[in-house]
Amino acid sequence: QVQLVESGGGLVQAGGSLRLSCAASGRTLSGYTVAWFRQAPGNDREFVGTIRASDSSTYYADSVKGRFTISRDNAKNTVFLQMNSLKPEDTAVYYCAASVRSWGALIMSAQWQYEYWGQGTQVTVSS
């Protein structure tokens, strides 16, 4: 089993940046596909992006493409979500999730595809 803990959330003004961390314990995260999802009040949880274990390839939702970047530091057993040019509509609880499965032509963008989840971290972007 792998345990995930997110951190780095907070309050930021529109146009600002935040970096979220997803730290793993119990297993080495380097062998897992990791994704970020977010959930705004009253909305369903939505896919943000994912990073593949084998070669660290990434894929992003259109809403964050060009502004958000996912990376991993295997030495720290951590995956990061760098968020730049933040907008008020990015306000949400952000969750990281991990899976032993990998993706190829079909991106793993659905919640059910991930076995392990963190507790979430709140990001609030003020206008």
Side-chain angles (χ1 to χ4, degrees):
Q1 292 250 352
V2 59
Q3 291 79 44
L4 304 174
V5 177
E6 302 96 334
S7 62
L11 174 64
V12 63
Q13 288 188 330
S17 299
L18 279 176
R19 188 177 80 157
L20 305 184
S21 299
C22 175
S25 61
R27 293 288 174 89
T28 302
L29 200 56
S30 60
Y32 290 75
T33 293
V34 177
W36 288 91
F37 290 79
R38 66 185 182 185
Q39 187 168 20
N43 289 0
D44 293 333
R45 193 171 299 186
E46 65 174 1
F47 171 77
V48 173
T50 183
I51 184 166
R52 191 162 59 187
S54 58
D55 59 359
S56 292
S57 292
T58 54
Y59 181 86
Y60 302 94
D62 288 344
S63 58
V64 306
K65 199 172 294 182
R67 300 188 298 122
F68 290 11
T69 303
I70 299 175
S71 62
R72 63 198 313 157
D73 185 333
N74 292 333
K76 295 182 178 180
N77 215 25
T78 300
V79 169
F80 302 100
L81 177 65
Q82 177 67 44
M83 306 186 293
N84 298 328
S85 302
L86 282 161
K87 305 174 182 180
E89 51 263 44
D90 294 318
T91 294
V93 177
Y94 282 72
Y95 300 88
C96 66
S99 175
V100 296
R101 292 185 290 269
S102 185
W103 51 269
L106 294 179
I107 305 300
M108 289 171 55
S109 59
Q111 295 180 59
W112 63 265
Q113 294 175 301
Y114 293 88
E115 303 91 87
Y116 306 103
W117 289 81
Q119 82 291 346
T121 186
Q122 176 71 47
V123 171
T124 303
V125 184
S126 63
S127 57

